[in-house]
Amino acid sequence: MPLPPQWIRRVLLAPAVVFLAFTVVTTLPVWLLVAAALSPFVPGRLRPLRLVWIGVVYLVWDAAALLALFGLWIASGFGWRIRAPAFQRVHYLLAGWFLRALFWQARWTLRLSIDVAGTDPDTALPGRPELVLCRHAGPGDSFILIHALVNWFYREPRIVLKDALQWDPAIDVLLNRLPTRFLAPGARRDGTVLDQIAHLATGLDDNDAFVIFPEGGNFTPRRRLRAIDRLRSRGLEGMALRAERMRHVLAPQPGGVLAALDAAPEAGVIFVAHTGLDKMLTVADVWRELPMDKRIVMRFWSVPPEEVPTGRQERIDWLFDWWARIDQWIEANRDGTAALSGDGPPDA
C-alpha cells in the first residue's frame, strides 16, 4: 500500500492514534478481562494477556510521543525553529526517553533482554563520528540499535530507513524532524538516492552516528535468493558466489555504504550483528515466538578510519568480507549463547 502524503498523515493518522489510545485506555479493564479469559486456551504463559498489554503500552507510547512532539512544535514557534540545534538536541533526548520506556516495558512484559558483546563504540573511537553498518533481521532490530546508540553510547543517529516506517505517526513526525533518509521499497541506489545518502553523511560531528542497513531489507531465505539472482543478472558472478556462501545474511548493497564512506572519510566504521530474532521471519513466526522470553545479543566490531580501504573495488570486497564474518558469527551464536566481553549496559 503506498504511503499517504505527509499532510494526510499529520491531519488524519496522528490524531486517530491519539483518539484510539484514549479509547483503549478508558476501556482497558474490558480488554484485560477478555485477554485473561482467553489465556488458559492459548499456548504460552498468559500469551493473550501479555500481548494485549504490550499492544496497549505501544499505542499509549505512540500517542504520548505525538503529544510531546506537538508541544515541541508549538514551543519552536509553530515549527519556525524546529530544526535549530537546540530543538534537534531536545528531539534526540525525547527519543532516548521514549525508547528507554519502551524497552523497560518490553523487558518486563515480554521478558526480553539485550546484551552487548565486543567493542564499545565510545571506547573504540572517542570523539569521532561513526558509520554504523548493521545487519537487518527480525522485528524491531532498528529500534534496538537506535536505543543502544542513543541511551548507552550517547550518540545522535542519522538514519537511512525504509519509508514504510512512516506509517507509525510518532516515528514519522520525530524522524522527519531529525536527519533521516527514507527509502521506498525497491528504490535503486541511483545517483539521486546516493547523493542524498552522501548529504546525510556529510558534516558528522564527534557524537554523530550515521546508521545504514546495507542489505536493504530484513533477511528471509527468499530475499537471500533474490539478492543472489539480482547479482547474477548484473553480471556480478563473483559477488553472487560469495553471497551464496553466506547463509544468514543478504548480500550487502554497497552503493549507500560507498557514498557514506566518501562523504565522511574521517569517521570510524562500526559493524553490528545481532542474534535472537532470527526465527521471526513471518507474521506466523512472530505469533509463535511472542511473548518473546528471549535474550538478544548485539555484537559490535570497530574499524578505525585509517584501516578502511580507499579504492572502490577494495571497499566492496572489504564490505563482503565483513558480511561473511557477520554470517559466521550468526552461525556460531544462533542459540543465543554468544560469549560476552563483560556485561551489557546497566539498563540492558
Side-chain angles (χ1 to χ4, degrees), residues 3 6 8-18 20 58-59 61-63 65-67 69-70 143 164-177 182:
L3 194 70
Q6 189 178 86
I8 291 180
R9 305 198 305 268
R10 297 293 185 273
V11 175
L12 297 180
L13 290 184
V17 165
V18 175
L20 181 60
Y58 189 86
L59 184 60
W61 177 87
D62 223 59
L66 285 168
L67 293 174
L69 291 165
F70 182 65
F143 277 78
L165 286 171
Q166 294 175 101
W167 277 103
D168 184 305
I171 294 174
D172 181 21
V173 175
L174 175 65
L175 292 188
N176 274 296
R177 294 181 186 177
F182 290 102

Side-chain angles (χ1 to χ4, degrees), residues 230-289:
R230 188 164 53 245
L231 290 171
R232 284 210 164 90
S233 70
R234 296 174 182 172
L236 303 172
E237 182 63 25
M239 293 170 67
L241 290 172
R242 298 194 67 179
E244 283 181 332
R245 292 194 290 269
M246 297 185 289
R247 312 299 298 179
H248 309 293
V249 294
L250 304 181
Q253 301 178 39
V257 175
L258 297 180
L261 289 170
D262 287 340
E266 76 288 355
V269 178
I270 299 289
F271 289 93
V272 183
H274 57 80
T275 186
L277 300 174
D278 310 76
K279 297 179 181 179
M280 302 172 71
L281 303 177
T282 66
V283 173
D285 293 335
V286 173
W287 169 251
R288 184 179 62 251
E289 295 289 331

Side-chain angles (χ1 to χ4, degrees), residues 74-331:
I74 294 173
S76 69
F78 299 96
W80 176 51
R81 299 185 65 248
I82 202 70
R83 299 188 185 278
F87 277 96
Q88 293 276 287
R89 181 58 189 156
V90 171
H91 279 77
Y92 277 118
L93 291 173
L94 183 70
W97 293 336
F98 276 95
L99 284 170
R100 194 178 298 117
L102 182 64
F103 279 93
W104 174 77
Q105 274 295 320
R107 183 176 63 176
W108 180 69
T109 308
L110 302 179
R111 295 180 61 188
L112 173 69
S113 64
I114 306 169
D115 290 313
V116 175
T119 303
D120 178 332
D122 282 347
T123 300
L125 301 174
R128 279 182 177 170
E130 299 164 357
L131 304 182
V132 180
L133 281 55
C134 185
R135 78 167 298 216
H136 209 0
D141 62 352
S142 52
F143 277 78
I144 295 169
L145 176 61
I146 302 307
H147 172 52
L149 291 173
V150 172
N151 288 320
W152 300 343
F153 306 127
Y154 308 106
R155 294 282 172 164
E156 296 183 349
R158 303 185 184 188
I159 318 170
V160 180
L161 290 169
K162 281 188 173 182
D163 72 344
L165 286 171
Q166 294 175 101
W167 277 103
D168 184 305
I171 294 174
D172 181 21
V173 175
L174 175 65
L175 292 188
N176 274 296
R177 294 181 186 177
L178 294 173
T180 305
R181 166 61 183 163
F182 290 102
L183 297 181
R188 297 194 56 172
R189 303 303 193 265
D190 58 15
T192 302
V193 170
L194 295 183
D195 286 346
Q196 293 182 26
I197 291 175
H199 183 266
L200 187 65
T202 300
L204 300 175
D205 62 28
D206 59 358
N207 70 336
D208 282 335
F210 174 91
V211 178
I212 190 168
F213 299 86
E215 293 159 303
N218 266 319
F219 172 87
T220 67
R222 182 175 298 178
R223 285 179 177 168
R224 173 180 170 271
L225 294 176
R226 284 207 304 262
I228 294 169
D229 290 341
R230 188 164 53 245
L231 290 171
R232 284 210 164 90
S233 70
R234 296 174 182 172
L236 303 172
E237 182 63 25
M239 293 170 67
L241 290 172
R242 298 194 67 179
E244 283 181 332
R245 292 194 290 269
M246 297 185 289
R247 312 299 298 179
H248 309 293
V249 294
L250 304 181
Q253 301 178 39
V257 175
L258 297 180
L261 289 170
D262 287 340
E266 76 288 355
V269 178
I270 299 289
F271 289 93
V272 183
H274 57 80
T275 186
L277 300 174
D278 310 76
K279 297 179 181 179
M280 302 172 71
L281 303 177
T282 66
V283 173
D285 293 335
V286 173
W287 169 251
R288 184 179 62 251
E289 295 289 331
L290 288 173
M292 289 183 179
D293 299 321
K294 288 189 177 297
R295 175 173 175 260
I296 296 171
V297 179
M298 300 185 70
R299 178 66 160 89
F300 288 74
W301 293 271
S302 174
V303 180
E306 58 270 16
E307 294 183 13
V308 177
T310 55
R312 175 181 174 82
Q313 189 57 49
E314 289 81 1
R315 284 180 168 178
I316 293 174
D317 292 338
W318 171 78
L319 178 62
F320 269 76
D321 288 342
W322 269 104
W323 236 246
R325 182 172 180 176
I326 287 172
D327 182 69
Q328 293 167 6
W329 181 86
I330 295 166
E331 175 63 32

